[in-house]
């Protein structure tokens, strides 16, 4: 069965960096677009970043542009989210998701989801 397992979350201070990883198994990783989403308490899950199956195209929500970078290693079946200059408003559970041969900002387009990793940024 398909599994996506996130790691790398934690408690950091404003301005710090974290790198999230999401290891995938049970799918042909190189054929899937991948996305990172986040959900803060009391809020809906929102799009953060996405990357195409080839890795050549990326998209970001405006609030993380210039601070976050999504990347993938198809040889390791892993997608990453490098997060720099973290802010308290980045605090959320971060989820990775996979969509066959597609990537988008819409969470409804994604078939597979991980269980999430908590990121907490203190002020």
């Amino acid at each position: 069965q398909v599994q996506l397992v996130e790691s790398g979350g934690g408690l950091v201070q404003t301005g710090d960096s974290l790198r999230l990883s999401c290891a995938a198994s049970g799918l042909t990783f190189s054929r899937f677009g991948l996305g990172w989403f986040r959900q803060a308490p009391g809020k809906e899950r929102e799009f953060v970043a996405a990357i195409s199956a080839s890795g050549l195209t990326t998209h970001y929500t405006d609030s993380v542009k210039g601070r976050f970078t999504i990347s993938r290693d198809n040889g390791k079946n892993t997608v990453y989210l490098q997060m720099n200059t973290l802010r308290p408003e980045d605090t959320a559970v971060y989820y990775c998701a996979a969509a066959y041969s597609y990537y988008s900002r819409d969470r409804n387009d994604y078939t597979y989801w991980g269980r999430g990793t908590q990121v907490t940024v203190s002020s």
Side-chain angles (χ1 to χ4, degrees), residues 6 20 34-40 44-50 70 81 92-98 104-110 112-113 116-117:
E6 302 94 337
L20 305 183
L34 301 163
W36 283 98
F37 291 76
R38 65 187 179 187
Q39 188 166 17
E44 290 190 354
R45 192 169 299 188
E46 65 173 0
F47 170 77
V48 177
I70 187 172
L81 186 68
V93 177
Y94 283 72
Y95 300 88
C96 69
S104 83
R105 299 170 178 263
D106 186 344
R107 63 180 186 263
N108 295 311
D109 289 331
Y110 289 83
Y112 302 110
W113 290 84
T117 185

Side-chain angles (χ1 to χ4, degrees), residues 68-122:
F68 290 12
T69 303
I70 187 172
S71 62
R72 65 189 294 161
D73 185 335
N74 286 351
K76 295 183 178 179
N77 284 11
T78 302
V79 60
Y80 305 97
L81 186 68
Q82 177 66 44
M83 305 187 295
N84 298 329
T85 320
L86 283 160
R87 304 167 180 168
E89 53 264 40
D90 295 318
T91 295
V93 177
Y94 283 72
Y95 300 88
C96 69
Y100 181 74
S101 191
Y102 190 69
Y103 64 100
S104 83
R105 299 170 178 263
D106 186 344
R107 63 180 186 263
N108 295 311
D109 289 331
Y110 289 83
T111 305
Y112 302 110
W113 290 84
R115 292 188 175 184
T117 185
Q118 176 71 47
V119 172
T120 303
V121 185
S122 65

Side-chain angles (χ1 to χ4, degrees), residues 6-72:
E6 302 94 337
S7 62
L11 172 62
V12 297
Q13 295 185 335
T14 297
D16 285 351
S17 298
L18 278 176
R19 189 177 81 154
L20 305 183
S21 299
C22 174
S25 60
L27 52 73
T28 305
F29 187 76
S30 62
R31 294 182 181 178
F32 281 76
L34 301 163
W36 283 98
F37 291 76
R38 65 187 179 187
Q39 188 166 17
K43 295 187 177 181
E44 290 190 354
R45 192 169 299 188
E46 65 173 0
F47 170 77
V48 177
I51 188 167
S52 63
S54 66
L56 294 178
T57 304
T58 58
H59 288 289
Y60 299 90
T61 193
D62 286 346
S63 64
V64 308
K65 284 180 181 177
R67 299 189 299 124
F68 290 12
T69 303
I70 187 172
S71 62
R72 65 189 294 161

